[in-house]
Amino acid sequence: MNVSVIGCGYVGLVAAVCLAKLGHRITLVDVDEQKIEMLNNCQAPIHEPDVEEALSQSDLEVTSDYDCISNSDLILLCVSTPTTDDGFISLEYITQASEQLAQVLKKKLDYCVVVVKSTVVPGTTTDVVIPILEKSGKKAGIDFGVCMVPEFLAEGKAIYDFMNPMRIVIGEYDTRSGDMASQLYQSLGAPILRTNPITAEMIKYASNTFLATKISFINEIGNICKLLGIDTYEVARGMGADDRIGSKFLNAGLGFGGSCLPKDIKALISRVKQMGYEPRILEEVWNLNEHQGANLVALLKKHILLKGSTVGLLGLAFKPETDDIRESRAIRLVKVLLKEGATIRAYDPAAVENFKCLFPQIEYVSSQKVLASDAIIIVTEWEEFSHLDYRGKIVIDGRRVPKAMEAKVYEGLCW
Ligand code: UDX
Ligand code: UDX
C-alpha cells in the first residue's frame, strides 16, 4: 500500500521504517527541514537502536510538502501531543496537521484512511480531527475513512515492539476504515482488537497510567521495605511469580520519566478533573513519583553535607538505551542539588548533548571522573554502570545496579 506518515519523531519514524520493511511504499512528512535533511542522508534524528540501519535499507520519500501524499491509501498522523503548562494535552500540532490533511483530501479523488497514532485524550479523533478533515467538503465514513490506532512502543526497543506487538488496537470510525487499517498489521500476526475511536484512545491512557501505577505501587512498597530493612527486589520477585501480578514494571527506585507516562497521566488527570471527577489513584501515583527524588536526596544527606560537595551523577536519560531526557528524573535532582549548593559532575553514554541544553552550568565528564566525586548517584541503569569499580565510594543507587553494592557506603533508594 502507499502509506504516508506525518511527523517523524519516535512514533512516526519507527512506524515508517517498519512499514517499509513490511513492503509498503512510504512517504514521510515533517515540518522540520533539518530533520528532513538528516533523514535524506540516512541519519536518524533520534537515538534508537537499529533505526539508522533500517533507514539505510528502506527507500523512504521524506518531504515537507503535503502535496506528495496525494496518492496515499493510508495516512498516519504521528505528530507530538505535548502537555501545556497547566497539565492539559496540547492539540496544537494535531490541529495544524489535520488542517493540512484537509487540503490534501479536498483535491484527492480516491478513498484513503486517516489513522490517528498520536496519543490523544478520549474524544479527540471524533470531536477534533474529523470536523477539521471534513472542512475539505468530504465526509468521514463515505469519502475517506478514519481510525485511531494507538502505539505501544517503548523507546530503546521501539523497532522490536513495532514488529512484535502484543496486540493491535484499531478504533474504527466505520468497518471499511477498520478493514483497511487492519491490512497494515495483518502480517505481524498479533491479535487485533477492533473497537471505536474513543475506546481505543482510552485503552492507550489506561495502559500507560496502569504501568505508571504499577511503578508507583512498587515504589511505595519499596519505601516501606527500606524502613523495615527488607529487600524490595526480593519482594517483587515473590510477587511477580504470580501471573495475575506479573514480574514486569516492578523495578522500584527513582520512578518513571519519559515522553509518555508522565504526560499521559497528567493529561488524563486534567481532563477528568475538568469534568468534575477527582482521580484519587492517579493523583497519588503522580505525587509518589514526584517524591522519590526527594527521598533519594534525603539518603544522600545522611552521608555528606551537600553545600560545597561534588556530587557525581551516573545517567541523565530517562531510561537506558536512549538519549531522551524528557521528564528524566535527573532534571529534578540536578535542580535540587544545585539549589543546595552542590557542584555536579555528570556522565551519560547518550544524553549529554540534550542535557547540556537545559543545564550548561554543570560539568560533563567521563564515568571515571564521576566516580571521583564526594558521592555518586545512579540515576539511569545503563549496562556499562555494571562494570565500574565502586570500591571505596559513597553510592546512592536510584536504580539497583548490584555491582555498586561493593561501595564503601551503599544506599539503595527502596532497598
Ligand atoms: C509521539 C506521539 O505523537 C505522542 O502523541 C505520543 O504520546 C508519544 O509519541 P513523538 O513521536 O515522541 O510523539 O514526538 P516527537 O519526537 O516530538 O515527534 C513529532 C514530530 O512531528 C516531529 O518531528 C515534528 O517536527 C513533527 N511535526 C510536529 C510535524 O510534522 N507537524 C506539526 O505540525 C508538528
Ligand atoms: C512507555 C510504555 O512502556 C509504552 O508502551 C508506551 O507506548 C510509551 O510509554 P517508554 O516511555 O519508552 O514507554 O518507557 P518505559 O520502558 O515504559 O519506561 C518508562 C519509565 O518508567 C522510565 O523512566 C523507567 O525508568 C521507569 N520504570 C520502568 C521504572 O521506574 N520501573 C519499572 O519497573 C519500569
Side-chain angles (χ1 to χ4, degrees), residues 145-159:
V146 178
C147 284
M148 197 283 146
V149 179
E151 188 55 71
F152 297 101
L153 52 83
E155 288 178 30
K157 55 195 269 284
I159 293 213

PDB file of all heavy atoms in Angstrom, residues 145-159:
ATOM      1  N   GLY A 145     -11.831   7.424   5.193  1.00  0.00           N
ATOM      2  CA  GLY A 145     -12.027   6.670   6.432  1.00  0.00           C
ATOM      3  C   GLY A 145     -11.191   7.259   7.555  1.00  0.00           C
ATOM      4  O   GLY A 145     -10.278   8.048   7.318  1.00  0.00           O
ATOM      5  N   VAL A 146     -11.515   6.880   8.791  1.00  0.00           N
ATOM      6  CA  VAL A 146     -10.753   7.357   9.956  1.00  0.00           C
ATOM      7  C   VAL A 146     -10.623   6.222  10.974  1.00  0.00           C
ATOM      8  O   VAL A 146     -11.602   5.520  11.262  1.00  0.00           O
ATOM      9  CB  VAL A 146     -11.460   8.555  10.647  1.00  0.00           C
ATOM     10  CG1 VAL A 146     -10.669   9.009  11.879  1.00  0.00           C
ATOM     11  CG2 VAL A 146     -11.633   9.721   9.687  1.00  0.00           C
ATOM     12  N   CYS A 147      -9.418   6.061  11.499  1.00  0.00           N
ATOM     13  CA  CYS A 147      -9.198   5.125  12.608  1.00  0.00           C
ATOM     14  C   CYS A 147      -8.312   5.769  13.644  1.00  0.00           C
ATOM     15  O   CYS A 147      -7.533   6.668  13.336  1.00  0.00           O
ATOM     16  CB  CYS A 147      -8.469   3.863  12.125  1.00  0.00           C
ATOM     17  SG  CYS A 147      -9.509   2.733  11.218  1.00  0.00           S
ATOM     18  N   MET A 148      -8.403   5.284  14.884  1.00  0.00           N
ATOM     19  CA  MET A 148      -7.464   5.674  15.931  1.00  0.00           C
ATOM     20  C   MET A 148      -6.738   4.390  16.326  1.00  0.00           C
ATOM     21  O   MET A 148      -7.365   3.451  16.821  1.00  0.00           O
ATOM     22  CB  MET A 148      -8.240   6.267  17.116  1.00  0.00           C
ATOM     23  CG  MET A 148      -7.401   7.071  18.086  1.00  0.00           C
ATOM     24  SD  MET A 148      -6.424   6.064  19.178  1.00  0.00           S
ATOM     25  CE  MET A 148      -4.966   7.065  19.377  1.00  0.00           C
ATOM     26  N   VAL A 149      -5.447   4.351  16.048  1.00  0.00           N
ATOM     27  CA  VAL A 149      -4.658   3.142  16.319  1.00  0.00           C
ATOM     28  C   VAL A 149      -3.509   3.515  17.256  1.00  0.00           C
ATOM     29  O   VAL A 149      -2.487   4.024  16.814  1.00  0.00           O
ATOM     30  CB  VAL A 149      -4.104   2.527  14.999  1.00  0.00           C
ATOM     31  CG1 VAL A 149      -3.273   1.288  15.290  1.00  0.00           C
ATOM     32  CG2 VAL A 149      -5.250   2.195  14.053  1.00  0.00           C
ATOM     33  N   PRO A 150      -3.688   3.321  18.568  1.00  0.00           N
ATOM     34  CA  PRO A 150      -2.634   3.749  19.498  1.00  0.00           C
ATOM     35  C   PRO A 150      -1.348   2.958  19.310  1.00  0.00           C
ATOM     36  O   PRO A 150      -1.371   1.813  18.849  1.00  0.00           O
ATOM     37  CB  PRO A 150      -3.244   3.462  20.880  1.00  0.00           C
ATOM     38  CG  PRO A 150      -4.330   2.487  20.645  1.00  0.00           C
ATOM     39  CD  PRO A 150      -4.822   2.689  19.251  1.00  0.00           C
ATOM     40  N   GLU A 151      -0.245   3.613  19.671  1.00  0.00           N
ATOM     41  CA  GLU A 151       1.067   2.983  19.534  1.00  0.00           C
ATOM     42  C   GLU A 151       1.586   2.631  20.918  1.00  0.00           C
ATOM     43  O   GLU A 151       1.542   3.456  21.819  1.00  0.00           O
ATOM     44  CB  GLU A 151       2.003   3.992  18.844  1.00  0.00           C
ATOM     45  CG  GLU A 151       3.337   3.445  18.467  1.00  0.00           C
ATOM     46  CD  GLU A 151       3.223   2.216  17.598  1.00  0.00           C
ATOM     47  OE1 GLU A 151       2.839   2.350  16.429  1.00  0.00           O
ATOM     48  OE2 GLU A 151       3.510   1.105  18.094  1.00  0.00           O
ATOM     49  N   PHE A 152       2.076   1.404  21.094  1.00  0.00           N
ATOM     50  CA  PHE A 152       2.510   0.981  22.432  1.00  0.00           C
ATOM     51  C   PHE A 152       4.013   0.781  22.521  1.00  0.00           C
ATOM     52  O   PHE A 152       4.496   0.070  23.390  1.00  0.00           O
ATOM     53  CB  PHE A 152       1.797  -0.313  22.826  1.00  0.00           C
ATOM     54  CG  PHE A 152       0.297  -0.155  22.925  1.00  0.00           C
ATOM     55  CD1 PHE A 152      -0.540  -0.581  21.900  1.00  0.00           C
ATOM     56  CD2 PHE A 152      -0.276   0.450  24.041  1.00  0.00           C
ATOM     57  CE1 PHE A 152      -1.917  -0.435  21.988  1.00  0.00           C
ATOM     58  CE2 PHE A 152      -1.658   0.598  24.134  1.00  0.00           C
ATOM     59  CZ  PHE A 152      -2.487   0.161  23.102  1.00  0.00           C
ATOM     60  N   LEU A 153       4.761   1.369  21.574  1.00  0.00           N
ATOM     61  CA  LEU A 153       6.196   1.056  21.594  1.00  0.00           C
ATOM     62  C   LEU A 153       6.939   1.792  22.698  1.00  0.00           C
ATOM     63  O   LEU A 153       6.610   2.921  23.055  1.00  0.00           O
ATOM     64  CB  LEU A 153       6.833   1.313  20.234  1.00  0.00           C
ATOM     65  CG  LEU A 153       6.649   2.648  19.528  1.00  0.00           C
ATOM     66  CD1 LEU A 153       7.631   3.662  20.043  1.00  0.00           C
ATOM     67  CD2 LEU A 153       6.813   2.439  18.048  1.00  0.00           C
ATOM     68  N   ALA A 154       7.933   1.102  23.251  1.00  0.00           N
ATOM     69  CA  ALA A 154       8.769   1.706  24.297  1.00  0.00           C
ATOM     70  C   ALA A 154      10.098   2.113  23.668  1.00  0.00           C
ATOM     71  O   ALA A 154      10.650   1.383  22.838  1.00  0.00           O
ATOM     72  CB  ALA A 154       9.000   0.712  25.431  1.00  0.00           C
ATOM     73  N   GLU A 155      10.595   3.281  24.026  1.00  0.00           N
ATOM     74  CA  GLU A 155      11.859   3.752  23.486  1.00  0.00           C
ATOM     75  C   GLU A 155      12.977   2.790  23.880  1.00  0.00           C
ATOM     76  O   GLU A 155      12.952   2.209  24.954  1.00  0.00           O
ATOM     77  CB  GLU A 155      12.164   5.158  24.002  1.00  0.00           C
ATOM     78  CG  GLU A 155      11.264   6.183  23.363  1.00  0.00           C
ATOM     79  CD  GLU A 155      11.505   7.595  23.888  1.00  0.00           C
ATOM     80  OE1 GLU A 155      12.639   7.904  24.281  1.00  0.00           O
ATOM     81  OE2 GLU A 155      10.544   8.375  23.897  1.00  0.00           O
ATOM     82  N   GLY A 156      13.955   2.673  22.992  1.00  0.00           N
ATOM     83  CA  GLY A 156      15.072   1.765  23.259  1.00  0.00           C
ATOM     84  C   GLY A 156      14.824   0.398  22.636  1.00  0.00           C
ATOM     85  O   GLY A 156      15.756  -0.332  22.329  1.00  0.00           O
ATOM     86  N   LYS A 157      13.553   0.029  22.458  1.00  0.00           N
ATOM     87  CA  LYS A 157      13.231  -1.228  21.768  1.00  0.00           C
ATOM     88  C   LYS A 157      12.032  -1.009  20.845  1.00  0.00           C
ATOM     89  O   LYS A 157      11.203  -1.886  20.633  1.00  0.00           O
ATOM     90  CB  LYS A 157      13.009  -2.377  22.755  1.00  0.00           C
ATOM     91  CG  LYS A 157      11.965  -2.119  23.817  1.00  0.00           C
ATOM     92  CD  LYS A 157      12.074  -3.129  24.928  1.00  0.00           C
ATOM     93  CE  LYS A 157      11.214  -4.366  24.747  1.00  0.00           C
ATOM     94  NZ  LYS A 157       9.775  -4.149  25.030  1.00  0.00           N
ATOM     95  N   ALA A 158      12.009   0.199  20.282  1.00  0.00           N
ATOM     96  CA  ALA A 158      10.840   0.617  19.504  1.00  0.00           C
ATOM     97  C   ALA A 158      10.619  -0.251  18.262  1.00  0.00           C
ATOM     98  O   ALA A 158       9.485  -0.646  17.968  1.00  0.00           O
ATOM     99  CB  ALA A 158      10.984   2.080  19.119  1.00  0.00           C
ATOM    100  N   ILE A 159      11.712  -0.557  17.543  1.00  0.00           N
ATOM    101  CA  ILE A 159      11.544  -1.366  16.324  1.00  0.00           C
ATOM    102  C   ILE A 159      11.060  -2.761  16.699  1.00  0.00           C
ATOM    103  O   ILE A 159      10.131  -3.300  16.079  1.00  0.00           O
ATOM    104  CB  ILE A 159      12.866  -1.431  15.528  1.00  0.00           C
ATOM    105  CG1 ILE A 159      13.156  -0.027  14.995  1.00  0.00           C
ATOM    106  CG2 ILE A 159      12.808  -2.497  14.446  1.00  0.00           C
ATOM    107  CD1 ILE A 159      13.846   0.061  13.698  1.00  0.00           C
TER     108      ILE A 159
END
